[in-house]
Amino acid sequence: MNPILIVEDEKDIVDLVEYHLRQAGFSVMSAFDGSSGLEQARRKRPALVILDLMLPGMDGKDVCRSLKSNPLTRLIPVLMLTARAEEADRIIGLEIGAEDYVTKPFSPRELVLRVKAILRMREIDRESEKSLQIGDLLIDIEGHHVSVKKMPIQLTSTEFKLLVELASKRGRVQTRTSLLDRVWGYTYEGYDRTVDAHIRHLREKLGDLGKYIETLRGVGYRFRAENE
Ligand code: CA
């Protein structure tokens, strides 16, 4: 997963949040003012932004509005930090568009739980997508149809399921066992060779875009995230 971006001018808070997020297994990057936070979000497309409301220069509200109005960053979830609970409605409402907020002083553990909850919801949204457009690849999940550069690709139903499974969890490593479980629904002796063979066929059929499916030796497979 891409790192989580913390935008906050108070170094102590950044350190505290960073420590707890790292403990929870996330990678983290930080920015100490609004405009550099915005720039990092555009360049590195974090999995989530933790954004303080009170920042020097460009404040958290404006950063959030800019993120939400740019197609490149629109889908990045934003968790606002605010000292005032009464701001909450406007923060998560239409005015600013953040996904959630936490009021200061906050418990870092609770913050980590909120981050996880937002990311989980995002994952569910993604899994329920009806079609996936990834660069030149279009996967019409409902219509069971795949095309590359608008040219249709013929896949078997297992290859199709495998592609959807990988592409809907792009950026994340999936083991052979989990693929087998989700795509085939069972496991058996020599199963890893079955997965490998289907991956190979899938890559061949995808042509140039086959490179999106990466092999992680001894671990499994991973569909590259869009921004890699
Ligand atoms: Ca601040």
Side-chain angles (χ1 to χ4, degrees):
M1 199 197 315
N2 288 6
I4 291 179
L5 171 64
I6 308 167
V7 188
E8 161 68 279
D9 56 314
E10 287 167 74
K11 178 107 181 26
D12 292 351
I13 295 183
V14 173
D15 290 346
L16 183 74
V17 172
E18 189 166 333
Y19 172 79
H20 284 270
L21 285 170
R22 287 194 197 279
Q23 288 288 99
F26 294 104
S27 55
V28 181
M29 55 193 183
S30 51
F32 297 94
D33 65 79
S35 47
S36 56
L38 192 59
E39 203 227 317
Q40 281 206 50
R42 285 178 181 156
R43 240 173 345 108
K44 306 210 170 133
R45 297 236 248 142
L48 181 144
V49 181
I50 296 174
L51 179 59
D52 187 39
L53 199 56
M54 302 288 281
L55 292 167
M58 187 179 195
D59 73 11
K61 271 184 216 175
D62 290 337
V63 174
C64 189
R65 282 200 200 96
S66 301
L67 289 173
K68 295 298 180 184
S69 62
N70 183 334
L72 267 179
T73 53
R74 187 168 58 83
L75 294 176
I76 301 172
V78 176
L79 175 63
M80 295 291 299
L81 300 179
T82 167
R84 297 201 309 253
E86 56 270 27
E87 288 274 350
D89 289 346
R90 288 191 290 136
I91 289 170
I92 53 177
L94 287 173
E95 195 189 335
I96 311 184
E99 270 68 16
D100 201 356
Y101 72 97
V102 168
T103 47
K104 289 180 179 176
F106 55 84
S107 127
R109 281 167 203 276
E110 193 201 330
L111 184 80
V112 171
L113 290 177
R114 297 285 191 93
V115 165
K116 286 182 176 169
I118 296 171
L119 293 174
R120 199 157 49 233
M121 284 311 296
R122 187 48 50 101
E123 194 64 41
I124 291 167
D125 287 351
R126 203 183 237 193
E127 281 173 8
S128 62
E129 279 169 321
K130 292 185 171 64
S131 67
L132 298 168
Q133 174 85 57
I134 305 163
D136 288 328
L137 173 67
L138 175 66
I139 309 171
D140 174 357
I141 296 172
E142 281 198 321
H144 268 244
H145 178 84
V146 176
S147 59
V148 172
K149 292 178 185 157
K150 301 198 170 130
M151 296 290 286
I153 305 281
Q154 301 300 326
L155 298 181
T156 65
S157 89
T158 304
E159 288 163 356
F160 181 79
K161 277 196 246 169
L162 186 59
L163 178 62
V164 171
E165 186 60 26
L166 287 165
S168 62
K169 297 199 172 94
R170 49 200 180 275
R172 281 184 14 203
V173 183
Q174 299 207 65
T175 62
R176 290 184 177 83
T177 316
S178 77
L179 286 171
L180 212 70
D181 190 46
R182 310 263 312 195
V183 175
W184 281 263
Y186 55 88
T187 57
Y188 54 88
E189 282 298 308
Y191 63 85
D192 38 0
R193 282 198 302 275
T194 305
V195 177
D196 295 347
H198 278 83
I199 293 275
R200 196 166 58 243
H201 294 150
L202 193 53
R203 277 199 187 119
E204 279 164 13
K205 289 184 180 180
L206 292 175
D208 286 352
L209 304 189
K211 64 174 188 274
Y212 282 169
I213 304 173
E214 299 173 338
T215 307
L216 286 104
R217 274 181 168 279
V219 184
Y221 294 98
R222 175 178 177 276
F223 199 99
R224 236 188 253 176
E226 284 97 325
N227 52 336
E228 290 179 61

